């Protein structure tokens, strides 16, 4: 279980049909559990084992007819610190939040490397993706693949 | 938490606070004590410098940031972070220079520098070699 606290303001349910890999599933389960371990402010710093890959940004996701919109909270980072990659059915947001000082008397923010793979509800065109970072928020816009509809295999009635 | 800084309303980080017309959130903060000043960094993604208020009164440093409603076009599939203002305050100990406080907002992070009064700053005393 991942015990690294996360500022989960609202946790949505998982959509079982969208789990691309076992790793994604495990990550999503971690996210669900994180809601139960919101950190009291006075938690000693030794509790914070902020290690690479042990935190994930919170996201919002929505879809309209032609696009899928994803937003991730990544305060304190720059566009150069964030990598966005897209396959047909997955969006991966990765990067590293670098710490500027080693002498923090108190720390609640997350530092270090992170990776979050987000299963997409529909196939997208990997060549038509835009990502914009502004005021600590990354906004990714993905265009749904026009051929996605044809991938659905009609089930025929047996003779 | 730094010895010279206490939360005015100890609550769980990220928990919603009551009594506001809309939901407000407590930003995550990092505190660095350099001796001559306290640096407080608060994660306030999505805000703008004009919409952030930093106040220092009666030894209490408070931060309030208005965040515009995030617009998610179409049908919402996931919502892991809420929409609302950020609010948090700390009682600082004595010996801080309220007039010297500076604040800067960059890439979703608010950095506040609270200098200590010169009289209470730790002084390094140089040990000189006595003449032989």
């Amino acid at each position: 279980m991942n015990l690294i606290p996360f500022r989960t303001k609202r946790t949505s349910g998982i959509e079982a049909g969208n789990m691309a890999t076992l790793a994604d599933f495990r990550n999503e389960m971690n996210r669900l559990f994180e809601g139960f371990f919101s950190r009291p402010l006075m938690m000693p710093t030794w509790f914070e084992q902020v290690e690479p890959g042990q935190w994930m940004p919170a996201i919002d996701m929505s879809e309209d007819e032609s696009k899928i919109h994803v937003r991730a909270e990544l305060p304190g980072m720059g566009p150069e610190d964030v990598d966005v990659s897209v396959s047909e059915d997955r969006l991966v947001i990765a990067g590293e939040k670098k710490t500027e000082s080693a002498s923090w008397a108190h720390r609640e923010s997350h530092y270090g490397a992170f990776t979050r793979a987000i299963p997409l509800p529909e196939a997208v065109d990997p060549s038509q993706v835009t990502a914009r970072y502004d005021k600590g928020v990354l906004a990714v816009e993905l265009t749904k693949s026009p051929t996605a509809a044809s991938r659905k295999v009609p089930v025929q009635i047996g003779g | 938490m730094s010895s010279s800084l206490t939360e005015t309303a100890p609550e769980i980080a990220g928990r919603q606070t009551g009594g506001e017309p809309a939901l407000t959130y407590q930003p995550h903060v990092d505190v660095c004590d350099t001796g001559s000043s306290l640096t407080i960094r608060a994660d306030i993604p999505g805000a703008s410098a004009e919409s952030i208020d930093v106040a220092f009164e009666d030894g209490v440093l408070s931060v309030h940031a208005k965040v515009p409603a995030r617009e998610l076009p179409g049908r919402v599939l996931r919502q892991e972070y809420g929409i609302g203002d950020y609010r948090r305050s700390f009682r600082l100990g004595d010996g801080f220079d309220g007039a010297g406080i500076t604040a800067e907002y960059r890439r979703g992070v608010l950095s506040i520098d609270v200098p200590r009064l010169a009289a209470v700053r730790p002084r390094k005393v140089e040990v000189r070699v006595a003449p032989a």
Side-chain angles (χ1 to χ4, degrees):
Chain A
M1 187 189 298
N2 183 351
L3 286 176
I4 302 303
F6 196 87
R7 186 188 48 148
T8 304
K9 292 171 182 170
R10 201 179 304 161
T11 306
S12 65
I14 54 171
E15 296 106 50
N18 291 336
M19 293 304 157
T21 66
L22 194 62
D24 287 352
F25 179 74
R26 190 193 63 213
N27 288 340
E28 293 303 320
M29 288 307 287
N30 284 340
R31 289 200 60 79
L32 286 178
F33 278 108
E34 278 159 4
F36 296 105
F37 291 98
S38 295
R39 164 183 31 193
L41 286 170
M42 300 303 173
M43 186 80 72
T45 49
W46 54 258
F47 190 81
E48 289 194 313
Q49 297 173 13
V50 180
E51 288 170 9
Q54 294 217 336
W55 71 281
M56 283 188 287
I59 62 157
D60 277 359
M61 178 158 68
S62 74
E63 66 170 340
D64 53 30
E65 274 186 20
S66 61
K67 289 184 190 305
I68 296 169
H69 310 265
V70 178
R71 281 169 193 239
E73 288 193 324
L74 296 167
M77 300 177 63
E80 68 278 5
D81 300 322
V82 185
D83 281 327
V84 176
S85 58
V86 181
S87 65
E88 268 194 355
D89 59 353
R90 265 202 320 170
L91 165 69
V92 178
I93 300 172
E96 185 177 359
K97 186 173 178 183
K98 297 178 183 90
T99 179
E100 292 168 13
S101 168
S103 61
W104 294 107
H106 175 74
R107 225 167 74 157
E108 294 170 4
S109 290
H110 308 280
Y111 289 95
F114 68 89
T115 301
R116 181 150 191 207
I118 302 149
L120 298 171
E122 223 175 289
V124 297
D125 182 349
S127 66
Q128 290 190 56
V129 180
T130 60
R132 205 165 63 91
Y133 181 86
D134 186 33
K135 294 166 188 160
V137 179
L138 175 74
V140 184
E141 207 173 82
L142 307 114
T143 305
K144 290 181 180 176
S145 172
T147 58
S150 65
R151 284 209 189 82
K152 287 187 178 173
V153 178
V155 177
Q156 294 170 341
I157 300 165
Chain B
M1 181 74 66
S2 164
S3 59
S4 56
L5 191 75
T6 39
E7 190 87 21
T8 54
E11 287 188 64
I12 293 169
R15 212 176 88 183
Q16 296 160 12
T17 56
E20 296 291 330
L23 294 180
T24 61
Y25 298 98
Q26 292 193 321
H28 275 166
V29 300
D30 293 344
V31 181
C32 183
D33 191 345
T34 65
S36 60
S37 68
L38 275 185
T39 301
I40 299 162
R41 287 166 51 112
D43 285 349
I44 305 178
S48 57
E50 309 82 60
S51 65
I52 301 173
D53 286 327
V54 177
F56 185 67
E57 198 176 353
D58 297 332
V60 175
L61 178 75
S62 53
V63 175
H64 177 225
K66 283 189 190 302
V67 177
R70 293 183 189 94
E71 287 170 18
L72 273 174
R75 187 170 73 95
V76 174
L77 302 171
R78 276 166 193 252
Q79 237 175 16
E80 295 176 352
Y81 56 89
I83 295 160
D85 294 356
Y86 288 94
R87 197 183 284 275
R88 197 161 174 184
S89 54
F90 303 95
R91 181 173 297 282
L92 305 183
D94 292 331
F96 289 96
D97 176 15
I101 294 174
T102 55
E104 186 185 271
Y105 183 71
R106 183 168 180 262
R107 291 178 168 176
V109 178
L110 175 70
S111 298
I112 308 168
D113 192 67
V114 188
R116 282 200 168 83
L117 293 169
V120 298
R121 288 186 191 179
R123 272 175 298 175
K124 186 172 166 60
V125 178
E126 190 188 344
V127 179
R128 283 180 292 192
V129 179

